[in-house]
Amino acid sequence: MVARASKTVMTSDMSSEFDFVMRLLAMGAALLLLATLMVGPSRPAMKVALAGLLSGAICYLLNATRLIDPWRMADRLVDLVSLMTPYWTWVFAALLFDRKLPRPLLFLLPLLYLIFWYCAHFITPLHKPAFVAIHLLSLLLIAHLVFFALSGRNDDLIEKRRWIRLFLPLAVGLQAGGILVYELIIGVRADDFAIQSVSGLLIFVIIMAAGMALLVSEPDLLVAQDGEAADDDAPPPSPLRLSPSEAVLNDKLTAAMADGYYRTPGLTIDALATHLGSAEHRLRALINRRLGHRNFSSFLNGYRIAEACEKLADRDLVDMPILTIAMDLGYNSLPTFNRAFRAETGTAPSDFRRDAIGRN
């Protein structure tokens, strides 16, 4: 019995040491990645999200170590930063995948985290409900991240980002989602070194994989998007010459767009590639690297919104419903058309029509 107890204690000590080492490695990797990306040419908003994400990951790793006392105020602040990790991961993923988030939500969610954290730490009767609320809010953000990462994959023209759309939801779902569900069911147990070790290992793998993916493809993913302010001192991009095969494919693409193929309802890039008799990856590369579009929808919207502007400014079509124009151009609903039109022109279709016809 004594030998068995001694063996159990030894195994527990080994698990504890392994967990501690994995956390130190993950924190070091996070700090290195943070320092590297902060001095790079990333978008300012991306740097803020990365700083929040990696700082939250570091605080999460610290939270279950022997260095943290849950009763000290400084360590309670570490806990707050740690709890915000799913939020910053959600924001970072939205920026990475060119997903627009409602501005009020960007301010409301941190406020909710702050309120729940305060209730959990300083209002004893609300500790358990606040704990549950924090976990449910984080799970909702992770679920939304997984949804928009995977649902937008076919529309994405950047090949490296298409792979990240598979890796990131899987990794975040396994690590953050798994831990959140486990803590909701079992509770937080600082002595559960097996779970803590697996979590630390997953965080380390996520940070290392994300670092390699982002640093290798940073020019494609982290710098300013089309339409954003660019560095005034940066040299203008040099024109890219098309290879013979690209030139032939570009001619076919131009002819198809001139014939109005962009009006096809529900048009996807694989359907367009089939229509042009091309491999899908070749068409993606042409539209992204040569024509400068990050998403297939932005490529289509360029043609669709240009025709919409012509129709909305046409006095002979003044009584044509905007919904009819939207459906004729291949949109499946009026709200979808309105969002695309506003994104391209900065105004609503009805306002554009009124101003255009009023000027004529």
Side-chain angles (χ1 to χ4, degrees), residues 197-313:
S197 297
V198 171
S199 176
L201 179 60
L202 282 173
I203 292 175
F204 177 70
V205 171
I206 291 171
I207 291 172
M208 293 300 293
M212 289 187 290
L214 293 176
L215 292 174
V216 168
S217 55
E218 184 174 351
D220 292 333
L221 304 184
L222 303 184
V223 296
Q225 307 171 32
D226 297 337
E228 291 183 350
D231 185 355
D232 292 335
D233 297 327
S238 56
L240 296 173
R241 299 184 61 184
L242 299 179
S243 68
S245 60
E246 287 174 332
V248 171
L249 179 56
N250 187 52
D251 289 343
K252 291 181 179 179
L253 178 61
T254 301
M257 295 300 104
D259 289 340
Y261 197 71
Y262 56 85
R263 302 188 193 102
T264 304
L267 181 61
T268 59
I269 192 165
D270 54 332
L272 179 57
T274 300
H275 176 75
L276 299 178
S278 166
E280 183 181 328
H281 72 274
R282 288 185 56 210
L283 183 58
R284 286 185 186 276
L286 174 68
I287 298 175
N288 172 228
R289 298 176 187 172
R290 300 310 192 219
L291 303 183
H293 295 277
R294 295 162 67 91
N295 296 291
F296 184 62
S297 56
S298 71
F299 169 74
L300 286 182
N301 285 336
Y303 289 94
R304 289 174 170 177
I305 301 305
E307 184 175 343
C309 289
E310 292 178 4
K311 290 186 173 182
L312 290 170

Side-chain angles (χ1 to χ4, degrees), residues 14 16 18 28 41 77 88 91 184 203 225 242 267 279 285 309 319 339:
M14 290 178 62
S16 173
F18 177 78
L77 294 177
W88 288 116
V91 174
L184 274 176
I203 292 175
Q225 307 171 32
L242 299 179
L267 181 61
C309 289
D319 292 324
R339 284 193 299 270

Side-chain angles (χ1 to χ4, degrees), residues 82 137 143 271 294:
S82 169
L137 178 59
R294 295 162 67 91

Side-chain angles (χ1 to χ4, degrees), residues 24-201:
L24 287 178
L25 286 174
M27 283 188 282
L31 286 171
L32 179 61
L33 178 59
L34 178 61
T36 304
L37 292 175
M38 288 302 103
V39 299
S42 307
R43 290 174 271 161
M46 186 73 80
K47 290 184 177 183
V48 172
L50 274 170
L53 190 163
L54 293 173
S55 298
I58 292 169
C59 288
Y60 172 81
L61 291 164
L62 277 172
N63 230 358
T65 66
R66 291 160 285 186
L67 306 174
I68 294 294
D69 180 354
W71 299 107
R72 290 188 307 210
M73 187 61 198
D75 294 339
R76 288 177 175 177
L77 294 177
V78 169
D79 184 56
L80 174 61
V81 178
S82 169
L83 293 174
M84 294 284 292
T85 307
Y87 167 78
W88 288 116
T89 305
W90 176 71
V91 174
F92 172 74
L95 291 170
L96 184 64
F97 301 141
D98 300 336
R99 177 89 179 194
K100 293 187 181 298
L101 298 174
R103 185 173 294 272
L105 204 57
L106 293 175
F107 296 98
L108 175 62
L109 290 172
L111 180 60
L112 288 176
Y113 272 106
L114 181 61
I115 293 172
F116 294 149
W117 167 82
Y118 182 85
C119 292
H121 279 281
F122 300 103
I123 305 178
T124 304
L126 295 180
H127 171 76
K128 183 65 175 179
F131 173 84
V132 172
I134 290 171
H135 282 62
L136 291 178
L137 178 59
S138 297
L139 283 171
L140 283 174
L141 292 179
I142 291 171
H144 188 233
L145 185 160
V146 171
F147 168 75
F148 68 67
L150 295 178
S151 63
R153 187 172 184 270
N154 193 53
D155 186 58
D156 204 327
L157 296 175
I158 303 176
E159 195 60 35
K160 291 173 183 175
R161 192 168 64 176
R162 281 167 49 77
W163 285 107
I164 294 176
R165 282 182 180 271
L166 287 179
F167 163 77
L168 186 62
L170 177 63
V172 171
L174 282 175
Q175 194 281 320
I179 290 296
L180 288 168
V181 171
Y182 177 85
E183 290 181 350
L184 274 176
I185 297 174
I186 306 298
V188 179
R189 294 174 54 188
D191 60 340
D192 197 340
F193 295 115
I195 295 297
Q196 299 293 347
S197 297
V198 171
S199 176
L201 179 60

